[in-house]
């Protein structure tokens, strides 16, 4: 409101004066309706991004489940049939030439190993196994089977705080395969009487330890005696590097072998 007071030539002031109401409208980007619309647009974009990411994750999970199902139904059934026929041929060939039976035995062993590897792949791809609780259950079952066959006492420890912690498919696969290689080495080459396995959290890192009380390592290369040149250890190191982790192999207290995998999820 603009107020004006004036006086005449006699010097007498107007006691009332005059006023003018001046209305200045804001620019379009300063209006309340534009600001409200902007808030709604930003909220809509954020919600759309959330739904998009959720849809992508669901789509990926469905793809993984489908791959796991196809591998199991098609390749698994075929390998099972091959293994069955190989065993039948092995029993029949045992009555004939030894070379024929030996070849069939190799076929049967290779097929069994392939089936086990395929089973590991199916398990790693399946999205239902993303949490560490499922990982620990599979690890414990495998360690129990191998230690029993090798007549070793098993001490398996799992940090319950990690039960619901998800891992990526790559992390889960490499964690399990490193563990599997370490347990197999301990059972085959250590000659020990006990096997200790632990999976726990140390600050921000996940730590897997596989330890036996056997004959220890050969030299300083961290390879069990009679382990065939250390290819297993090289593969384990490569898998640890793939998930951004570190692998350490040593002799605790001068005996046995301890494999330590440390990585950050």
């Amino acid at each position: 409101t603009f107020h004006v007071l004036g006086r005449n030539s006699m010097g007498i002031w107007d006691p009332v004066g005059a006023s003018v109401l001046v209305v200045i409208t804001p620019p379009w980007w300063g209006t309340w309706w534009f600001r409200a619309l902007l808030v709604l647009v930003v909220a809509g974009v954020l919600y759309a991004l959330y739904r998009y990411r959720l849809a992508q994750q669901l789509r990926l999970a469905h793809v993984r489940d489908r791959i796991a199902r196809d591998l199991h139904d098609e390749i698994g059934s075929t390998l099972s049939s091959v293994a069955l026929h190989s065993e039948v041929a092995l029993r029949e060939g045992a009555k004939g030439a030894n070379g024929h039976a030996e070849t069939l035995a190799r076929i049967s062993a290779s097929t069994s190993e392939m089936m086990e590897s395929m089973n590991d792949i199916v398990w790693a791809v399946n999205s239902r196994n993303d949490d560490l609780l499922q990982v620990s259950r599979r690890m414990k079952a495998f360690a129990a089977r191998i230690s029993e066959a090798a007549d070793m006492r098993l001490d398996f420890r799992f940090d319950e705080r990690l039960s619901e912690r998800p891992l990526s498919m790559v992390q889960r696969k490499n964690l399990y395969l490193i563990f599997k290689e370490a347990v197999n080495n301990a059972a085959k080459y250590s000659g020990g009487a006990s096997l200790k396995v632990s999976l726990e959290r140390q600050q921000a890192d996940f730590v897997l330890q596989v330890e036996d009380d056997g004959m220890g390592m050969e030299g300083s290369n961290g390879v069990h005696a009679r382990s065939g040149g250390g290819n297993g250890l090289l593969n384990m190191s490569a898998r640890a590097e793939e998930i951004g982790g570190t692998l350490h192999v040593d002799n605790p207290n001068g005996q046995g072998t301890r494999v330590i995998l440390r990585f950050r999820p």
Side-chain angles (χ1 to χ4, degrees):
T1 303
F2 182 62
H3 296 277
V4 178
L5 293 178
R7 65 179 181 179
N8 58 18
S9 59
M10 302 294 293
I12 301 174
W13 286 89
D14 180 9
V16 179
S19 62
V20 177
L21 180 62
V22 180
V23 179
I24 302 176
T25 58
W28 61 270
W29 44 264
T31 58
W32 67 268
W33 57 266
F34 175 79
R35 293 176 180 176
L37 181 62
L38 183 62
V39 171
L40 291 176
V41 170
V42 171
V45 170
L46 293 178
Y47 181 73
L49 289 176
Y50 165 76
R51 291 301 301 269
Y52 174 78
R53 292 192 59 185
L54 182 61
Q56 290 294 100
Q57 292 176 357
L58 291 176
R59 188 177 297 111
L60 177 60
H62 292 159
V63 170
R64 291 169 59 184
D65 291 341
R66 186 174 66 251
I67 292 174
R69 184 173 60 252
D70 293 342
L71 283 174
H72 183 270
D73 294 343
E74 298 179 12
I75 300 179
S77 61
T78 302
L79 290 178
S80 297
S81 178
V82 171
L84 179 60
H85 291 309
S86 297
E87 291 176 1
V88 173
L90 178 62
R91 288 195 297 268
E92 295 178 352
K95 302 176 183 179
N98 293 333
H100 181 62
E102 182 179 354
T103 300
L104 291 176
R106 292 177 180 176
I107 294 175
S108 180
S110 299
T111 305
S112 298
E113 292 177 1
M114 186 179 299
M115 290 177 61
E116 184 177 356
S117 298
M118 186 211 65
N119 191 30
D120 291 339
I121 294 173
V122 170
W123 173 82
V125 170
N126 199 322
S127 61
R128 291 177 296 180
N129 301 320
D130 281 347
D131 63 277
L132 269 175
L133 181 59
Q134 296 295 332
V135 177
S136 67
R137 288 175 178 173
R138 185 174 180 87
M139 291 170 63
K140 186 175 182 179
F142 178 82
R145 185 173 73 252
I146 297 300
S147 60
E148 182 179 1
D151 195 21
M152 301 176 71
R153 295 186 306 274
L154 174 64
D155 180 11
F156 189 94
R157 300 180 182 180
F158 174 68
D159 191 344
E160 295 294 338
R161 296 175 300 174
L162 307 179
S163 296
E164 301 300 327
R165 184 63 185 259
L167 290 179
S168 67
M169 183 179 67
V170 175
Q171 288 178 323
R172 184 159 42 86
K173 180 192 70 174
N174 287 291
L175 168 64
Y176 180 74
L177 293 180
I178 290 173
F179 153 81
K180 187 176 179 180
E181 181 72 22
V183 170
N184 276 328
N185 283 342
K188 291 180 181 179
Y189 308 120
S190 72
S194 66
L195 177 66
K196 297 180 179 179
V197 179
S198 65
L199 180 59
E200 59 185 357
R201 183 172 184 174
Q202 296 180 3
Q203 297 180 350
D205 295 335
F206 285 9
V207 180
L208 168 70
Q209 294 192 49
V210 179
E211 180 179 347
D212 64 66
D213 60 351
M215 66 180 65
M217 298 179 296
E218 194 176 65
S220 60
N221 60 356
V223 183
H224 278 108
R226 298 167 32 225
S227 62
N231 290 330
L233 183 64
L234 294 177
N235 292 336
M236 293 163 65
S237 299
R239 294 188 183 281
E241 184 177 353
E242 185 177 354
I243 60 177
T246 58
L247 186 73
H248 178 71
V249 184
D250 63 7
N251 292 86
N253 302 321
Q255 65 179 14
T257 301
R258 178 173 56 191
V259 178
I260 303 175
L261 169 66
R262 184 182 300 270
F263 70 99
R264 186 163 298 183

